[in-house]
Each structure stands twice: as structure tokens, then as C-alpha cells.
Amino acid sequence: MFQGASALNLDAKGRMSIPAKHRDALSIQCEGRLTLTRHPDGCVMLFPRPVWEQHRQQISSWPMQARAWQRIFLGYATDVEMDTAGRILVSPELRAAAGIEREVMMMGMGSHFEIWDAAKMAEKEQQAMDAGTPDVLANFSF
């Protein structure tokens, strides 16, 4: 179960370091084999490969009416492996699709991570707060 936020920087080649708190878990869970793909909300999703393979099978079975969504998820999917320094390469295509520049936020989302351009994420969070709590959370309490 991945959770928590990490502020990171991409290097000149578009690589990012997986935070140490997640690196060991990913090494154990999937031997550092990961898959990145596009999310329609404007970020990149990072999956341990076994988790992605389950999603990939499901997405591949979608009917023809969902072909555009298959292109978004499968067309941008890129298999990567952590290098010995715990870094992964975020492809230029994924960086462009998500508007990712240098400063990113990596957010644990349970079974996977989201990688956001830091400024874009701050803007999305502010929009969500300005919109107020959705009805689906009306009975939620800590």
C-alpha cells in the first residue's frame, strides 16, 4: 500500500529518483520493474509491473467504443526498471502529455503512484478545495 507525497526533481535526462521509503518495497514487490502511463487527469501513473499487468489485461478487453481510452492508457504505457541508483526515466512523450517540467510530486495512491508537475498539482488541489467537498464524502469523518 503506497501512500504519502514526495517532492522530487527530474534530472536533465528526465530521470527521477524513487524515494528511499518506496524503493525497497518496489524492489521486493516487483524487482524494480515498473510501468508508467498517462492519466487523463493530467499526470503520469507509476505501477509495479504485476499490478499494471492486471490493469493491462482488463483495458485490452474493453469494447471498440473505448478505443480512445485504450490509446490513452495502453498507447502511452512504458515499461521501465529502476537503475542501481533507484532512478527511472520518464519518457519525453509522457512528460509532454502530462506537462511535467522539472519539479514533480510523487503521490502514493494505494496500489500505484501518481507523478504530477508540482505547479499543476498545486493548481488542481486548489481547484478541488475551491469546489468544496463532493456529496460522496458527506458522511466521511476521521
Side-chain angles (χ1 to χ4, degrees), residues 119-131:
K120 189 174 185 179
M121 183 179 173
E123 181 181 311
K124 287 270 192 186
E125 285 181 343
Q126 189 60 54
Q127 288 172 357
M129 287 188 251
D130 291 347

Side-chain angles (χ1 to χ4, degrees), residues 23-129:
R23 194 177 305 158
D24 292 340
L26 289 169
S27 293
I28 292 167
Q29 183 178 354
C30 60
E31 300 172 342
R33 298 174 359 169
L34 309 166
T35 300
L36 300 168
T37 194
R38 183 178 181 182
H39 190 289
D41 283 349
C43 66
V44 171
M45 294 182 290
L46 169 73
F47 292 92
R49 185 86 41 82
V51 175
W52 170 249
E53 288 171 356
Q54 293 171 359
H55 289 293
R56 183 182 62 207
Q57 287 178 347
Q58 183 181 18
I59 295 165
S60 295
S61 69
W62 290 350
M64 187 59 107
Q65 296 91 332
R67 180 66 69 190
W69 289 101
Q70 285 176 320
R71 284 188 197 103
I72 290 169
F73 295 121
L74 298 177
Y76 280 92
T78 306
D79 293 336
V80 298
E81 292 191 24
M82 284 191 297
D83 66 14
T84 55
R87 296 174 302 191
I88 60 166
L89 175 67
V90 181
S91 72
E93 295 83 5
L94 280 171
R95 292 193 313 263
I100 292 175
E101 298 290 329
R102 182 166 164 39
E103 296 178 4
V104 298
M105 290 295 293
M106 182 173 160
M107 307 294 294
M109 299 298 293
S111 66
H112 66 283
F113 297 92
E114 291 182 351
I115 302 167
W116 287 87
D117 177 79
K120 189 174 185 179
M121 183 179 173
E123 181 181 311
K124 287 270 192 186
E125 285 181 343
Q126 189 60 54
Q127 288 172 357
M129 287 188 251

Side-chain angles (χ1 to χ4, degrees), residues 11-28:
D11 68 13
K13 295 180 181 178
R15 296 176 299 192
M16 61 175 262
S17 292
I18 301 295
K21 64 184 176 184
H22 300 300
R23 194 177 305 158
D24 292 340
L26 289 169
S27 293
I28 292 167

